[in-house]
Amino acid sequence: MFRIGKEEIQAIENVLLSGKVFRYGIGGECNRFEERYAQYLGVKHCLMTSSGTTALTAAMVGQNIGPGDEVLVPACTYIATAIAVLAAGAIPVIVDIDESITISPAAIQAAIGPKTKAIVPVHMWGLPCDMDAIMAIAKQHNLIVVEDACQCVGGGYKGRKVGSIGHAAGFSFNYYKNMTCGEGGAAVTNDDKAVPRMGCMVDCCKFYWTDRQTDESLFVSNGSRASEIEGAVLNCQLDRIDPMLNIMRGYKKRILAALADTKLKPIQANSLDYEAGTHVMFVLPTEEQTLKFQQLTGSGIAGKTGRHVYTEWDPIFEHRGAPYDALNPYLMEANKGCRMDYRKDMCAASLSILNRTAMFGLHPDRTEAEIDAMVERLRKAAAEVL
Ligand SMILES: Cc1ncc(COP(=O)(O)O)c(C=O)c1O
């Protein structure tokens, strides 16, 4: 979804020629990106990481989510959401999505149990979750909200950027995301108290390079430090994001308006004006019609990407939560009593929605003529299938 060009090449060249690719001691590109991205999102703290998974893990550990806790995750997300929960030592509990293709507030309500500590709303495919409802439930039940904003970089919800609404959030900057530096991520929060623990997850040995006297070293972690090359690329990417998303949001609205007189039913939108606009999706009445529609239009089907549905999470289903039994959250004494009995049909309602959802990815470099041709293709297919 991203754009990349000469600015990034120049920025990388500058870093390489400076001879300083390590982030500490120079106040360079990583620091600059962290400050700028925090400001862009409207949050107090941003820590660059090596990936979205490590960012989410740091965000969870910062909120003291760990052994003994259940964390509600949606049936439709990349497996990394559940992996981050396990990496913190907690147990993911899978709950249904609704026709917004994001976690269902009603399913969250129904799933809350005595061990539930947190909710992870995942803003899938650029689509923000119903954050008003989710934050209200969290407040009512004293739960923590860690937003998985990996697939919604730059997206918003009712005027606020995703990632700035919950207690903490994780972003990914891998190859498939709206901003990329190849691989990378960011953990963000407004919670001052969370920062030392988050920072320790990102680099527990930072004290060697910064101020040994004042640096708080809390525990050992693997670390997930970013480099100046990544910081340099992300500073360029941040300059590009808003114009790019504006084009895609515009295209999406144009497509939806042009097809409003057909029988195609767009997915439910939680915040159409602010979402990332990277995907257009329609829910069809039956799976047969969705397959036919796919054949005629070349659409994707949300339930058939091979990696975004809980039924594809093999290590989770098999309780392979760590390389050693003693480190495996599924076997830990503290997690006895957490719900971990996963079944392939446990979120049948989600599977039905996902297998009936046709999806189209947008790109800012598509032309208006291409968008109009797409509309005509969809119109013809809708008339044939519905
Ligand atoms: C929803 C979601 N969460 C988490 C991740 C993990 O990000 P990364 O691959 O950077 O670790 C991804 C990556 O694809 C994702 O799509």
Side-chain angles (χ1 to χ4, degrees):
M1 224 62 68
F2 60 87
R3 278 174 169 164
I4 205 150
K6 288 204 174 65
E7 288 81 355
E8 283 81 356
I9 295 168
Q10 188 60 59
I12 293 171
E13 186 177 316
N14 291 346
V15 169
L16 291 178
L17 292 177
S18 78
K20 291 177 174 154
V21 294
F22 190 52
R23 66 164 297 171
Y24 297 135
I26 53 173
E29 297 284 354
C30 290
N31 284 355
R32 196 160 81 82
F33 177 73
E34 288 174 343
E35 277 165 26
R36 291 181 66 212
Y37 198 51
Q39 199 176 18
Y40 174 79
L41 297 175
V43 296
K44 281 166 82 176
H45 308 283
C46 170
L47 305 176
M48 279 181 70
T49 65
S50 58
S51 70
T53 313
T54 52
L56 285 167
T57 309
M60 291 189 204
V61 171
Q63 295 299 319
N64 291 303
I65 295 164
D69 299 329
E70 287 176 355
V71 179
L72 307 186
V73 302
C76 174
T77 179
Y78 185 54
I79 187 173
T81 312
I83 289 175
V85 174
L86 287 160
I91 299 295
V93 170
I94 305 169
V95 304
D96 268 316
I97 56 149
D98 58 26
E99 285 203 4
S100 70
I101 315 298
T102 61
I103 194 163
S104 152
I108 292 174
Q109 279 279 16
I112 293 170
K115 295 255 182 192
T116 308
K117 168 107 170 227
I119 308 163
V120 186
V122 181
H123 309 296
M124 274 305 279
W125 289 306
L127 309 163
C129 300
D130 184 350
M131 292 307 291
D132 283 347
I134 292 166
M135 295 310 291
I137 296 169
K139 197 166 173 197
Q140 189 191 351
H141 294 271
N142 201 20
L143 301 177
I144 290 160
V145 175
V146 176
E147 292 175 75
D148 181 337
C150 290
Q151 295 205 7
C152 198
V153 177
Y157 173 82
K158 298 187 180 174
R160 297 165 76 186
K161 289 276 184 251
V162 297
S164 70
I165 302 166
H167 299 86
F171 289 87
S172 169
F173 304 125
N174 78 21
Y175 171 71
Y176 295 101
K177 303 303 188 267
N178 302 339
M179 297 195 325
T180 189
C181 56
E183 299 283 357
V188 306
T189 189
N190 281 312
D191 180 356
D192 298 337
K193 288 196 303 300
V195 176
R197 289 174 64 80
M198 283 166 78
C200 199
M201 287 299 285
V202 176
D203 189 349
C204 71
C205 305
K206 182 164 134 254
F207 64 88
Y208 287 127
W209 314 102
T210 53
D211 185 351
R212 196 160 188 162
Q213 302 306 315
T214 59
D215 239 341
E216 210 170 346
S217 186
L218 300 170
F219 47 76
V220 165
S221 78
N222 266 346
S224 59
R225 194 174 55 222
S227 84
E228 283 293 280
I229 296 173
E230 291 161 315
V233 174
L234 287 175
N235 274 311
C236 300
Q237 292 277 292
L238 188 53
D239 293 334
R240 296 183 188 274
I241 186 83
D242 279 343
M244 249 178 54
L245 296 193
N246 283 337
I247 294 171
M248 286 188 286
R249 281 186 200 112
Y251 282 164
K252 180 163 180 175
K253 284 187 178 168
R254 183 183 179 124
I255 294 165
L256 294 181
L259 294 170
D261 63 344
T262 70
K263 289 190 183 154
L264 275 174
K265 182 178 163 208
I267 58 160
Q268 173 193 317
N270 288 323
S271 187
L272 190 60
D273 288 338
Y274 295 96
E275 65 174 49
T278 51
H279 291 81
V280 183
M281 302 195 189
F282 301 95
V283 190
L284 283 81
T286 67
E287 289 188 27
E288 292 69 38
Q289 284 167 310
T290 314
L291 285 169
K292 180 101 190 286
F293 191 70
Q294 178 191 39
Q295 280 161 14
L296 294 172
T297 62
S299 78
I301 296 180
K304 300 195 187 301
T305 67
R307 64 180 188 280
H308 294 112
V309 184
Y310 71 97
T311 49
E312 308 289 332
W313 300 351
D314 298 358
I316 308 280
F317 270 82
E318 290 155 24
H319 287 184
R320 290 182 275 121
Y324 304 106
D325 282 356
L327 293 175
N328 186 348
Y330 287 113
L331 301 176
M332 283 176 190
E333 191 63 31
N335 285 327
K336 286 227 161 89
C338 288
R339 290 163 294 173
M340 52 181 83
D341 177 22
Y342 308 116
R343 283 171 293 103
K344 296 274 172 167
D345 63 354
M346 65 192 292
C347 291
S350 303
L351 297 180
S352 166
I353 294 168
L354 293 166
N355 287 334
R356 290 183 292 110
T357 299
M359 58 193 266
F360 300 87
L362 295 177
H363 195 284
D365 293 343
R366 286 198 185 188
T367 63
E368 292 190 2
E370 283 169 338
I371 296 295
D372 292 342
M374 175 182 172
V375 165
E376 278 324 298
R377 212 167 56 242
L378 301 199
R379 175 182 291 283
K380 261 177 80 181
E384 205 169 311
V385 171
L386 295 173

